[in-house]
Amino acid sequence: MLLTEIAEELAFAWRILPELMKGLVVTLELTGLSLVAGLVLAIPVSMLRTYTRGPLNWLATAYVEVFRGTPLLVQLFVVYYGLPEMGVVWSRFFSAWLALTLNSAAYQSEYIRGAILSVSEGQLLAARSLGMPPIQAFRWVVLPQALRLALPAWSNEVAYMVKYVSVVYMIAVQELFTRAQGIISRTFKVWTPLLEVAVVYLAVVYLVTRLMDSVERRFRIPGLEGGVERREMV
Amino acid sequence: MPQPILRIENIHKAYGKTQVLRGVSLDVYPGEVVVIIGPSGTGKSTLLRCVNQLTVPDQGRVWLEGVELTAKGTDINKARERIGMVFQDFNLFTHLTAVQNVMLALTKVKRMRPEEARAKAMAELEKVGLADKADLYPAELSGGQKQRAAIARSLAMDPEVMLFDEPTSALDPELIGEVLEVMRKLAEEGMTMLVVSHEMGFAREVADRIVFLENGVIVEEGPPEQLFQDPKQERTREFLWKLTELYGNHGGSRSRRRPGCS
């Protein structure tokens, strides 16, 4: 009977939900930690790219190009399998976090760099004319504007990140997708866990997008809207 | 003769192959209002920026009250606190309200406590007639209000000299008056002012001295009545005639087209 089968699948879906939720917690931890650490790293990188010339600029540029130009999976394997050969050993979770952070920081630094460039030069001149040293002028005048301008792009990065994290399945970190994969190989049921995990991703990304929208609204200032409004990009 | 508060000596500045300033020297005395006029691209703005070192001159020296700003080892940030600057495009901090704009340097540079800085900022906004606009963002202010807020922001630092870089050139004609009024009041209070402007009415009434700059050199300088009525150089005469044609007979802000800005 079809109905019985559906009821059984739903019951199964319900049974595995707690396990998937445990995975979701890990996914969200990795997303959050990588995004925040990525942002902290992205700001100095974008500053070096924007304001310096010579070796520091080359270094920052090389970093961004390498991490944007190679697959995240390769970066993950280098951190998890490659570095231990050189005597650096980390936990799976730490390796996953490090690779995701380094990757995300490269992208985030580009969003921020673009935003810094779109803050008019007059803003910096005005700050300097009041006696602010360069770092102070950057910190209090350029950066707050640049971060606001980068917010729409940054919202996208958040949504990407939730899904990118599933790559760490490859080093068996017990995040959402890894859990689903575990269930599949244990129970030989494919469709239900896969659909279920897809629905969970969908729901999380939806919620995150809503959250970022309200953050954008919260920080909106007249005359300083982010470059591209997502909802206008139909 | 008193000591000049600001001494500019033999300033040279080139951008690539273009020689913008070729040896400009100018002394400004305490309480004096000096208006710099001249065709666009003559280096008027560059000269102002060389004063507070936003542009570093290739050659030449600048002193503020006997301290050489161009010398190695001078704390230029400290010096800039004493030199206010007002820009053509206002350059109010976009992400801050009018009062926060005025407060920022007070709290970060002068290290005032926030309450103290706010009180000072409100007093400055009051002076330029913007107390009721204190909590508006720049985008919510008119051009004239933006420029007045920018002036308040500079004045809050208690500068000894104020530099004005075409403060009314980006304004619609009907908004120019309110900004010039603030500047006039400031001059009356005895502020030392170095002003790049084509507002001939203002120059005539308020300036102690007019400097005509062209091709990177001072062609002629003198008190307004002398320069307007009896310029010594033919070039000065031509330029003033052109300005009068553009801006109307008595300078001022009537029937004014917008000239290209330098």
Side-chain angles (χ1 to χ4, degrees):
Chain A
M1 280 302 289
L2 187 62
L3 268 179
T4 345
E5 271 177 38
I6 291 176
E8 262 173 34
E9 288 303 317
L10 283 177
F12 173 66
W14 182 251
R15 272 204 310 281
I16 62 174
L17 194 60
E19 191 176 348
L20 291 182
M21 288 301 110
K22 269 190 219 160
L24 178 61
V25 170
V26 177
T27 294
L28 292 179
E29 278 172 2
L30 276 174
T31 305
L33 291 173
S34 311
L35 280 170
V36 171
L39 180 62
V40 170
L41 184 57
I43 291 170
V45 170
S46 62
M47 286 173 76
L48 292 180
R49 291 261 278 156
T50 315
Y51 297 117
T52 65
R53 272 179 254 176
L56 283 174
N57 184 298
W58 302 334
L59 202 69
T61 305
Y63 162 69
V64 171
E65 294 303 331
V66 165
F67 278 86
R68 289 200 312 163
T70 58
L72 176 56
L73 189 58
V74 173
Q75 296 160 20
L76 183 67
F77 276 22
V78 168
V79 170
Y80 185 66
Y81 294 115
L83 292 183
E85 289 205 353
M86 297 161 65
V88 192
V89 185
W90 291 309
S91 72
R92 290 166 200 279
F93 185 87
F94 188 87
S95 302
W97 169 77
L98 186 62
L100 288 166
T101 295
L102 291 174
N103 182 273
S104 179
Y107 283 93
Q108 291 190 51
S109 75
E110 282 298 275
Y111 303 148
I112 296 169
R113 187 173 72 100
I116 288 175
L117 291 176
S118 60
V119 174
S120 87
E121 205 202 340
Q123 297 283 309
L124 197 59
L125 283 179
R128 301 284 279 129
S129 80
L130 290 163
M132 289 192 174
I135 295 283
Q136 230 183 32
F138 179 81
R139 165 68 186 84
W140 299 108
V141 175
V142 178
L143 189 61
Q145 297 188 39
L147 289 181
R148 279 187 177 83
L149 291 170
L151 207 48
W154 204 77
S155 303
N156 274 332
E157 180 71 9
V158 179
Y160 282 131
M161 203 56 171
V162 173
K163 293 167 289 173
Y164 278 160
V165 167
S166 61
V167 161
V168 306
Y169 154 70
M170 299 302 291
I171 60 170
V173 172
Q174 295 295 308
E175 52 73 66
L176 182 53
F177 185 73
T178 316
R179 297 281 183 163
Q181 189 58 38
I183 293 167
I184 290 170
S185 49
R186 217 167 53 225
T187 61
F188 301 110
K189 285 176 185 283
V190 176
W191 277 103
T192 303
L194 270 187
L195 282 176
E196 191 170 350
V197 87
V199 169
V200 173
Y201 275 119
L202 208 57
V204 169
V205 170
Y206 177 79
L207 288 176
V208 161
T209 312
R210 282 282 86 87
L211 179 73
M212 290 310 296
D213 275 353
S214 71
V215 170
E216 275 176 50
R217 268 196 300 279
R218 164 102 173 60
F219 284 100
R220 185 159 297 162
I221 280 175
L224 194 72
E225 276 86 26
V228 186
E229 289 278 292
R230 238 196 337 269
R231 48 199 146 286
E232 284 168 17
M233 284 175 61
V234 188
Chain B
M1 202 70 179
Q3 281 298 305
I5 189 167
L6 188 67
R7 161 160 259 176
I8 300 167
E9 189 187 273
N10 194 28
I11 295 288
H12 285 73
K13 180 70 190 177
Y15 290 109
K17 282 211 167 87
T18 319
Q19 197 70 41
V20 182
L21 295 173
R22 326 160 178 255
V24 175
S25 300
L26 185 65
D27 286 349
V28 181
Y29 293 90
E32 203 183 13
V33 177
V34 176
V35 172
I36 304 173
I37 59 173
S40 16
T42 354
K44 306 186 295 290
S45 298
T46 307
L47 180 62
L48 281 198
R49 286 181 184 194
C50 283
V51 171
N52 66 357
Q53 306 289 303
L54 283 181
T55 294
V56 181
D58 299 333
Q59 194 190 320
R61 302 197 278 182
V62 178
W63 285 270
L64 178 66
E65 285 200 297
V67 176
E68 192 190 334
L69 306 185
T70 33
K72 286 217 186 321
T74 302
D75 183 350
I76 192 62
N77 294 319
K78 220 68 222 125
R80 282 182 185 144
E81 288 181 43
R82 302 161 57 196
I83 309 174
M85 186 168 216
V86 173
F87 300 85
Q88 182 178 336
D89 304 321
F90 328 124
N91 293 338
L92 281 181
F93 303 134
T94 318
H95 64 302
L96 300 176
T97 61
V99 68
Q100 289 169 338
N101 259 277
V102 183
M103 284 171 66
L104 186 68
L106 294 178
T107 51
K108 304 304 171 198
V109 178
K110 289 215 185 283
R111 307 231 164 263
M112 275 187 192
R113 280 177 297 114
E115 325 76 87
E116 200 185 340
R118 178 169 289 272
K120 169 96 171 144
M122 284 308 297
E124 295 296 342
L125 286 176
E126 183 82 51
K127 265 196 242 168
V128 299
L130 285 179
D132 56 329
K133 309 284 181 201
D135 294 319
L136 294 186
Y137 286 100
E140 299 167 319
L141 298 173
S142 74
Q145 292 167 343
K146 278 184 214 176
Q147 195 59 299
R148 284 187 283 148
I151 293 173
R153 177 176 67 180
S154 285
L155 290 178
M157 301 300 282
D158 295 324
E160 288 147 61
V161 178
M162 284 286 287
L163 309 174
F164 290 87
D165 188 2
E166 304 211 33
T168 57
S169 295
L171 293 176
D172 287 332
E174 74 271 21
L175 302 177
I176 291 174
E178 59 191 74
V179 172
L180 292 182
E181 194 43 49
V182 168
M183 291 170 63
R184 194 170 286 134
K185 233 169 60 191
L186 196 56
E188 277 166 19
E189 287 167 13
M191 176 62 76
T192 308
M193 294 160 67
L194 190 52
V195 185
V196 171
S197 177
H198 287 154
E199 294 296 333
M200 288 302 116
F202 176 82
R204 215 183 274 265
E205 276 176 56
V206 182
D208 297 300
R209 192 149 45 109
I210 298 196
V211 171
F212 175 46
L213 194 69
E214 190 178 46
N215 296 325
V217 290
I218 292 176
V219 175
E220 185 168 357
E221 63 177 300
E225 52 277 17
Q226 184 243 304
L227 216 82
F228 282 120
Q229 270 139 42
D230 185 27
K232 292 198 179 62
Q233 304 290 327
E234 185 53 31
R235 271 304 297 145
T236 316
R237 195 186 303 274
E238 276 171 36
F239 180 75
L240 285 172
W241 189 80
K242 252 193 242 162
L243 270 193
T244 320
E245 199 185 41
L246 257 178
Y247 289 76
N249 223 350
H250 297 287
S253 318
R254 290 170 305 130
S255 71
R256 171 176 185 280
R257 268 165 288 165
R258 248 191 254 175
C261 315
S262 60

